[in-house]
Amino acid sequence: MIATARANTNIALIKYWGKRDSQQMLPSNSSISVTLDGFYTETQVEYQTGLMSDEFFLDGERVIGKSLDRVQNFMDRIRRVTGMTQYARIQSENHVPTEAGLASSSSAFSALALAATQAAGAELSLPELSRMARYGSGSACRSVYPGFVLWDKGTDEESCVAAPIAMEAWDDFRMIALMIDHRAKKLDSREAMKRTQMYSPYFEAWTQDAERMIQPMCSALQQHRFAAVGKLAQQSCLRMHASLLAAGQWYLQAESLTAMNRVQSLQDSGVDVYFTMDAGPNVKLLCEAKDVDLLLAQFSDFTAVVCRPGEGVKSLD
Ligand code: PMV
């Protein structure tokens, strides 16, 4: 009745931004990500008799409010699927700043999906686990898998699945996270997506354009064409943020723009570096291993964490 799991975060190269069905968590567009080795969540789930509801502790602190509701809703789904009747004590350690646009929810719900189903005695296949994780947080369905992952929007619940992209390992691929603000963001990604869908005149264009970028990104990844991958990823990020900006919201801070401008100057001088950003102000640089030292020197005024493609979710028992 107890199990522990670890999952890495993933960062999208082609962003998921918008839902066509928020009950079933079906995205408006397909997306592509890389699971990283630098940031992860470890979660232990223990079902106990006598508990009146699920209890959730994050980094040793008891969580209440909206974040607890979200975890409890997710646990209710796990109970429906596994037949478990008890409530659980859930203890998570986040080795990634929480809700700061560093995809902490992707690692959190992927680790919780595995620990909670295993503790309930259920052995889910990876596709089943990925589908389950999606209900906690859309991007979590990609963190179940290692390396480069495609989340196909599909046509229904059944065909809406994430799976690794068939390709050779890309050991030289690097992402450098520039830590601009560790604090939890004021606007969570769920709400920001909803506002984009409701208020952005660019939302339709965003979803169609994102879908068109999927095939070119898959081929560029399969052929290890770094510049093409970087350009497409940066474009996807800018277009996602543009759709949000047009709804009157943004995550960019002055330091984010400083980093983006610096990347552009480096590109102008011939360095193969690109940026991406998620629902937060932190900027992630995409580069190859050979350029890491140069980039760490160029961005020495930022706290930087270098990540490589990482593993999928795994049991720690
Ligand atoms: O899965 P969520 O609700 O945390 O949304 C993720 C949104 C982005 O990180 C901005 C994009 C993505 O595809 O991961």
Side-chain angles (χ1 to χ4, degrees), residues 12 14-17 31 105 137-139 142 189 193 240 278-279:
I14 301 295
K15 306 294 182 194
Y16 143 59
W17 198 249
S31 56
S105 65
S137 169
S139 57
R142 300 182 310 230
S189 51
M193 278 183 209
M240 175 204 122
D278 293 281

Side-chain angles (χ1 to χ4, degrees), residues 74 77-78 81 113 117 124 128-136:
F74 186 69
R77 177 174 291 276
I78 299 242
V81 170
T117 50
L124 268 55
E128 285 167 342
L129 203 60
S130 168
R131 183 166 283 123
M132 178 63 82
R134 188 183 87 218
Y135 284 99

Side-chain angles (χ1 to χ4, degrees), residues 110-129:
S110 174
L112 182 58
L114 180 57
T117 50
Q118 283 201 332
E123 284 294 330
L124 268 55
S125 66
L126 287 179
E128 285 167 342
L129 203 60

Side-chain angles (χ1 to χ4, degrees), residues 1-278:
M1 294 294 128
I2 181 165
T4 309
R6 176 192 292 174
N8 287 317
T9 62
N10 72 78
I11 296 295
L13 301 175
I14 301 295
K15 306 294 182 194
Y16 143 59
W17 198 249
K19 298 176 182 61
R20 64 183 197 275
D21 181 335
S22 53
Q23 293 301 313
Q24 303 228 58
M25 293 292 282
L26 304 179
S28 307
N29 62 278
S30 305
S31 56
I32 293 179
S33 62
V34 55
T35 301
L36 300 177
D37 71 350
F39 299 115
Y40 59 92
T41 304
E42 279 181 11
T43 296
Q44 185 186 72
V45 174
E46 182 171 18
Y47 294 100
Q48 295 179 352
T49 46
L51 282 183
M52 303 304 284
S53 62
D54 296 311
E55 294 178 353
F56 176 37
F57 297 82
L58 181 58
D59 298 327
E61 303 247 337
R62 184 136 186 196
V63 176
I64 53 169
K66 252 171 71 179
S67 303
L68 175 64
D69 294 345
R70 191 163 166 188
V71 167
Q72 288 176 333
N73 286 338
F74 186 69
M75 292 300 292
D76 286 341
R77 177 174 291 276
I78 299 242
R79 275 185 285 269
R80 282 199 297 279
V81 170
T82 60
M84 167 55 67
T85 51
Q86 293 172 352
Y87 290 110
R89 170 161 301 165
I90 301 154
Q91 302 192 65
S92 275
E93 299 256 325
N94 245 355
H95 298 261
V96 41
T98 307
E99 292 177 24
L102 284 160
S104 59
S105 65
S106 68
S107 52
F109 282 100
S110 174
L112 182 58
L114 180 57
T117 50
Q118 283 201 332
E123 284 294 330
L124 268 55
S125 66
L126 287 179
E128 285 167 342
L129 203 60
S130 168
R131 183 166 283 123
M132 178 63 82
R134 188 183 87 218
Y135 284 99
S137 169
S139 57
C141 73
R142 300 182 310 230
S143 269
V144 165
Y145 296 106
F148 298 91
V149 178
L150 165 66
W151 176 15
D152 191 331
K153 73 178 187 140
T155 50
D156 54 15
E157 221 288 290
E158 199 51 35
S159 55
C160 177
V161 283
I165 295 174
M167 60 186 277
E168 295 205 353
W170 196 350
D171 296 333
D172 286 346
F173 191 94
R174 294 288 182 279
M175 192 172 275
I176 305 178
L178 301 177
M179 313 302 281
I180 287 169
D181 193 340
H182 294 243
R183 287 167 305 177
K185 60 210 174 201
K186 290 190 200 89
L187 178 65
D188 70 27
S189 51
R190 240 170 224 212
E191 186 55 32
M193 278 183 209
K194 218 190 278 170
R195 290 194 197 176
T196 309
Q197 286 187 246
M198 279 165 64
Y199 304 120
S200 178
Y202 303 153
F203 181 70
E204 267 314 302
W206 149 258
T207 56
Q208 286 165 21
D209 178 71
E211 210 53 43
R212 278 196 294 270
M213 291 171 92
I214 294 290
Q215 255 326 306
M217 179 59 99
C218 274
S219 330
L221 285 168
Q222 284 166 326
Q223 293 158 16
H224 291 197
R225 281 187 284 117
F226 180 73
V229 169
K231 279 179 195 157
L232 285 165
Q234 184 172 309
Q235 222 167 51
S236 173
C237 152
L238 287 172
R239 291 176 184 178
M240 175 204 122
H241 284 271
S243 73
L244 176 65
L245 269 165
Q249 302 281 335
W250 61 91
Y251 288 108
L252 299 164
Q253 287 181 10
E255 296 89 336
S256 320
L257 290 167
T258 301
M260 289 156 74
N261 285 332
R262 212 174 290 169
V263 168
Q264 196 175 44
S265 305
L266 285 160
Q267 287 171 355
D268 291 345
S269 62
V271 182
D272 254 345
V273 57
Y274 302 88
F275 63 77
T276 188
M277 287 176 63
D278 293 281

